[in-house]
Amino acid sequence: MRLNPDRGPRRGLLAACAAALALVALPNLAVAAPIVQASGAWIRWLPAGLPAGGYVTLRNTSARPVELIGADSPDYGNAMLHQSMSKGGMSEMLHVEQVLIPAHGSVAFKPGSYHIMLMQPKNDVKPGDNVPITLKFAGGMTLRVDFEVRKADATGPAGMTGKGMKGMAHQP
Ligand SMILES: [Cu+2]
């Protein structure tokens, strides 16, 4: 989110939003002030134990870039960072080792782009649940975020079902 200096009146609102986000993020961190704030976290649930996509917007409040390097959830056997890309009209998913969040910048995990690929659901995850996911950053920082599980008809990541799944090596 970038502040436009020409839009003075909106500054107050944005600042209020940022303050609200900080309050939400605080309980997630045991000691340090929240360097990374998470908002809008949700999971696109799919039936029959299919892999689900996790989405969230991560905002880096610090003056140094931060690298997301992994994710973990007690409700899934495996969680990986993926990126959907479209190539010659087909969409495919790539496993990415890290996602850089620039200083004072943010990265949106969203359908058709970055997502957390959640595999092997364990505890009968269903729409309406809140699933905790621990985000792991370079340097040892972690951030626990509750993801709201939504139905499959929410707009999902391209390539997550049908032919798009073909040839996807989800297991390392
Ligand atoms: Cu994926």
Side-chain angles (χ1 to χ4, degrees):
M1 192 190 302
R2 218 162 262 261
L3 292 178
N4 185 339
D6 294 331
R7 294 184 182 174
R10 291 192 62 190
R11 273 178 174 276
L13 180 61
L14 289 171
C17 287
L21 287 175
L23 286 176
V24 169
L26 268 174
N28 294 329
L29 281 178
V31 213
I35 289 171
V36 175
Q37 298 169 348
S39 60
W42 68 288
I43 289 169
R44 181 181 180 247
W45 177 86
L46 291 174
L50 282 170
Y55 308 102
V56 63
T57 297
L58 298 177
R59 183 169 154 73
N60 178 4
T61 64
S62 78
R64 295 170 57 180
V66 168
E67 271 182 349
L68 179 69
I69 55 170
D72 239 337
S73 174
D75 290 311
Y76 288 90
N78 197 354
M80 289 172 84
L81 304 178
H82 274 189
Q83 184 176 22
S84 291
M85 305 191 89
S86 124
K87 204 175 176 182
M90 286 287 290
S91 106
E92 60 179 26
M93 294 191 284
L94 304 173
H95 173 216
V96 292
E97 297 290 336
Q98 71 268 314
V99 177
L100 188 85
I101 310 166
H104 298 299
S106 62
V107 171
F109 283 64
K110 59 188 180 188
S113 179
Y114 289 117
H115 54 279
I116 301 165
M117 194 85 253
L118 299 160
M119 290 155 277
Q120 302 152 23
K122 283 180 185 171
N123 306 317
D124 193 23
V125 176
K126 58 189 181 307
D129 289 351
N130 277 298
V131 167
I133 296 179
T134 298
L135 304 173
K136 298 185 281 192
F137 298 89
M141 184 176 70
T142 60
L143 181 66
R144 185 184 176 277
V145 180
D146 279 336
F147 282 64
E148 183 193 328
V149 181
R150 296 186 194 160
K151 274 191 182 159
D153 58 5
T155 309
M160 201 60 66
T161 56
K163 284 180 182 171
M165 291 291 291
K166 259 189 184 172
M168 262 305 300
H170 271 115
Q171 301 301 327

